[in-house]
Amino acid sequence: MWDHLSLLLVVTPLIAAPLAAILPFGRVPWALAFLVALACAVMAGMQLWTILTGGPIQYELGGWAPPWGIVYRIDEVNALVAMIVSGIAAVALPYALLSAENEIEKHQIPLFYSAVLLCLAGLLGITQTGDIFNLFVFLEISSLSSYALISLGNRRQALTAAYQYLIMGTLGATFFLIGVGLIYSQTGTLNMADLAARLPEATGLKTVHTGFAFIMIGFALKLALFPLHLWLPNAYTYAPSVVTVFLAATATKVALYVILRVLFTVFPDGFVTNTPAGDLFLMAGILAVLSGSFRAIYQSNVKKLLAHSSVAQIGYMAIGLSFASVAGVTASIIHMFNHALMKGALFMAVGAIVYRVGACRMEHLHGLGRQMPWTFGAIIVAGFSLIGVPGTAGFVSKWYLVLAALEQQQWIVVAVILFGSLLAVIYVGKIIEALYFKQATNPELAVEEAPFLLLAPTWILVFANIYFGFDTDLTVGVAERAAQALGVAAK
Amino acid sequence: MDFVVSHYNYLIAIFLMMTGFYTVISRGNLVKKIVGLNIFQVSVFLIYISLSTVKDGVAPIYVEGVKVYSNPLPHVLILTAIVVGVATTALGLALVVRIKEAYGTIEEDEIHSQDNSL
């Protein structure tokens, strides 16, 4: 049984997905989804532990050895990303119970959990697989279910947002498919380890460069890297709250993982620095930080504000990986982990407000800080983490990012990172101002604190934000090992 | 001219790819965008199928006395990609139906003028 852990992680949610759809009554589909997510989190934890103590795992599907069969090859990076994805799912599903009942029509609830499980299976599949075409299939499983999940939002803009994401997401996935085809034509393999062995001889070929560009653009679209981020703000704003929590904390992280994997493991050392890719990532990252943060300041919808802030945070991750150094990639991976925690907590807290008030525009928030103190507290702590205040997880990732930039003597980048944090002070401050310092528009209207089932998952993530702000051994240690496992050249 | 003749399958694929891509970007009608997306995807399928050809190779079915076969793997890959494409089209069209119900139109600019969302 333990030998099959890596496969079970993907197969369990995949099998549970149709089951959830045909369980029509009450809260049974939710219970199934929650159990599966919990089981996945436990399995991902065990997998991470096995790898940290015993080195990478190779799992051959159906006993077919590569290059004939598909393999799952899991090292520190996959294991960490799988841990993030299934951990967030396990925390988000208790939250989903009330939030989904509130925002999604009753007859759609079993299908909703079915789509959540499919999305989870797809995302975990992307992290586990060692075959690049298999990755495309899992990508489409997760993407198609996330389009459906976004369209479940209760305003009609959710439909257009899902449509826009479908068009852009499919373009991205097809770009990836073209890239894989071109590289396959030159190497004759789809196995990532074989590709890594054969690509060094083929790096001079134009076809390989073209394929590389297609793969990068395709996944930059899925990652929502500036200027390919246009689908993200609307999708996050109009999706049901719990879907936003789940996607914001997992989908972009998995896309970043694929970019790291292709950039550093599949393609040979120095490919990033010898091609314009590194510079382009750096430029896109800087522009993402600036434009995302500025746009966030001018939003009047809190979910949209946080979505634009996500674009900025993705920029930080892109800056980290553009250095192509161990320090830079480590910072990128740490920020990937920490951003899942902070954005998860923030979107959950905003979802709790939506649960009580029914909307999340700035004017609906006025004075709510006094009436919903626990939700308000969560927003303050997670908001501080987003800014990068010492003592929170956000500080750790900014710190390592600045160190990596200093190592490269990129003074402008250091300035951009610090300036981005200043802008974050402004937009987080705007939320806190509206919650606490503004007079309630309708003082007689008593708003209750959010129910325990919404607060508990939120505070689990908030405590994680504080915990990983102090105990950096786990995140930084694993991230450094992950960066080395990726095969980033030490400088 | 030799180049055109010997690479005609790739040229057709590139032509289809650009046609599809242009349609996705330029058309305001949501159904036409999906049609464009389909053409774009099909062009990629053609590239894969072209890659699998081996000179003088026959279809990859075992025949006595034949030594050279075409590569069957891209065909299998594309079968998967076609299924994915069908699913995407179905979901996209379902969304268009829902958009039509919600907005009464499937023209991008009219939807945009209703609530600035596309």
Side-chain angles (χ1 to χ4, degrees):
Chain A
M1 157 111 191
W2 302 127
D3 298 342
H4 300 290
L5 201 64
S6 312
L7 183 66
L8 279 174
L9 196 53
V10 183
V11 171
T12 318
L14 197 63
I15 293 176
L19 286 181
I22 55 172
L23 289 173
F25 40 88
R27 291 177 167 179
V28 183
W30 169 79
L32 178 71
F34 176 50
L35 281 179
V36 168
L38 212 55
C40 283
V42 172
M43 286 192 280
M46 284 165 58
Q47 179 179 262
L48 182 61
W49 179 250
T50 316
I51 284 160
L52 288 180
T53 50
I57 303 177
Q58 175 137 328
Y59 180 87
E60 291 159 5
L61 265 78
W64 290 88
W68 296 281
I70 290 170
V71 290
Y72 286 180
R73 194 181 177 286
I74 298 120
D75 54 24
E76 286 87 347
V77 204
N78 312 39
L80 181 67
V81 181
M83 188 66 235
I84 297 176
V85 171
S86 48
I88 291 288
V91 180
L93 271 161
Y95 183 91
L97 181 63
L98 294 179
S99 184
E101 277 175 7
N102 182 40
E103 289 177 42
I104 296 168
E105 285 177 45
K106 202 164 180 226
H107 68 277
Q108 287 176 329
I109 294 237
L111 293 172
F112 164 75
Y113 286 114
S114 177
V116 169
L117 286 170
L118 269 182
C119 192
L120 179 63
L123 292 173
L124 286 173
I126 297 176
T127 64
Q128 300 287 89
T129 188
D131 181 284
I132 205 157
F133 192 83
N134 200 224
L135 195 154
F136 165 77
V137 177
F138 279 125
L139 170 73
E140 284 299 46
I141 293 178
S142 68
S143 304
L144 285 169
S145 45
S146 59
Y147 309 146
L149 285 172
I150 289 165
S151 73
L152 286 173
N154 52 11
R155 299 181 60 189
R156 63 178 180 180
Q157 285 98 322
L159 297 170
T160 48
Y163 180 86
Q164 198 180 27
Y165 184 21
L166 180 134
I167 296 288
M168 293 214 178
T170 310
L171 282 180
T174 313
F175 268 45
F176 178 72
L177 192 62
I178 301 171
V180 169
L182 293 176
I183 288 171
Y184 174 72
S185 74
Q186 296 307 316
T187 57
T189 179
L190 293 164
N191 182 303
M192 288 188 201
D194 282 350
L195 279 173
R198 290 187 202 175
L199 273 173
E201 300 160 26
T203 41
L205 297 168
K206 278 200 185 115
T207 317
V208 171
H209 283 259
T210 316
F212 175 77
F214 270 116
I215 291 181
M216 284 301 130
I217 300 288
F219 261 93
L221 252 168
K222 299 301 292 187
L223 175 66
L225 181 61
F226 184 89
L228 304 170
H229 66 285
L230 294 172
W231 58 269
L232 186 139
N234 277 338
Y236 282 13
T237 309
Y238 298 112
S241 302
V242 62
V243 174
T244 310
V245 172
F246 184 62
L247 290 182
T250 58
T252 48
K253 314 298 171 277
V254 170
L256 182 77
Y257 156 74
V258 178
I259 288 184
L260 288 173
R261 178 64 83 194
V262 172
L263 216 48
F264 296 111
T265 311
V266 174
F267 277 85
D269 286 344
F271 201 84
V272 200
T273 32
N274 296 339
T275 56
D279 292 338
L280 283 175
F281 272 117
L282 183 62
M283 242 151 60
I286 289 174
L287 288 174
V289 169
L290 296 177
S291 117
S293 304
F294 272 115
R295 292 289 304 269
I297 291 173
Y298 292 104
Q299 297 306 317
S300 56
N301 181 318
V302 180
K303 270 173 110 177
K304 207 168 230 175
L305 184 155
L306 293 176
H308 278 288
S309 146
S310 276
V311 174
Q313 306 300 318
I314 290 162
Y316 291 121
M317 298 174 213
I319 290 176
L321 76 91
S322 74
F323 295 146
S325 64
V326 173
V329 176
T330 306
S332 204
I333 296 172
I334 297 173
H335 197 51
M336 168 168 89
F337 181 81
N338 290 339
H339 182 238
L341 296 180
M342 50 180 122
K343 267 296 151 53
L346 278 169
F347 273 122
M348 276 187 178
V350 173
I353 292 174
V354 173
Y355 184 80
R356 280 295 180 223
V357 190
C360 58
R361 294 183 69 79
M362 281 295 179
E363 63 262 24
H364 296 114
L365 265 60
H366 287 177
L368 279 186
R370 297 160 204 273
Q371 288 163 309
M372 302 175 78
W374 286 98
T375 313
F376 181 52
I379 290 183
I380 290 184
V381 178
F384 278 8
S385 187
L386 191 62
I387 296 167
V389 176
T392 57
F395 174 72
V396 180
S397 42
K398 292 261 170 68
W399 173 259
Y400 277 90
L401 196 57
V402 169
L403 282 186
L406 286 175
E407 188 190 85
Q408 305 284 323
Q409 304 186 328
Q410 294 268 19
W411 308 108
I412 300 173
V413 178
V414 176
V416 168
I417 296 167
L418 298 178
F419 186 60
S421 303
L422 274 179
L423 294 175
V425 174
I426 300 178
Y427 60 72
V428 172
K430 260 186 75 176
I431 306 177
I432 294 175
E433 185 202 9
L435 277 169
Y436 195 75
F437 295 104
K438 287 274 173 65
Q439 280 303 316
T441 22
N442 189 354
E444 287 97 73
L445 188 79
V447 180
E448 271 181 79
E449 178 55 270
F452 177 75
L453 256 180
L454 296 188
L455 282 179
T458 314
W459 275 88
I460 290 176
L461 288 184
V462 169
F463 279 124
N465 266 305
I466 300 171
Y467 178 79
F468 288 112
F470 287 102
D471 179 11
T472 57
D473 290 350
L474 194 64
T475 38
V476 178
V478 175
E480 266 173 0
R481 287 183 61 175
Q484 280 152 4
L486 276 168
V488 180
K491 283 191 187 151
Chain B
M1 195 61 204
D2 274 354
F3 178 81
V4 175
V5 174
S6 60
H7 290 80
Y8 74 96
N9 45 351
Y10 292 103
L11 293 175
I12 291 174
I14 291 169
F15 173 74
L16 282 176
M17 188 183 284
M18 291 303 121
T19 312
F21 199 36
Y22 179 75
T23 312
V24 175
I25 294 170
S26 68
R27 294 291 135 177
N29 184 304
L30 300 188
V31 175
K32 285 185 184 165
K33 269 180 188 288
I34 291 184
V35 173
L37 202 61
N38 268 303
I39 298 172
F40 181 64
Q41 286 180 313
V42 166
S43 73
V44 181
F45 304 163
L46 285 180
I47 291 181
Y48 267 75
I49 301 296
S50 301
L51 291 177
S52 72
T53 324
V54 175
K55 203 177 175 209
D56 301 327
V58 300
I61 302 165
Y62 180 73
V63 180
E64 203 72 44
V66 176
K67 290 258 167 51
V68 186
Y69 295 101
S70 285
N71 184 356
L73 185 66
H75 298 164
V76 182
L77 300 181
I78 283 320
L79 210 52
T80 316
I82 289 173
V83 175
V84 170
V86 170
T88 312
T89 310
L91 183 58
L93 289 176
L95 281 174
V96 174
V97 171
R98 292 280 308 277
I99 288 173
K100 168 81 177 168
E101 284 169 7
Y103 290 85
T105 173
I106 53 166
E107 292 297 330
E108 206 172 32
D109 42 357
E110 289 172 22
I111 293 169
H112 191 76
S113 67
Q114 284 188 36
D115 55 22
N116 297 325
S117 72
L118 201 69

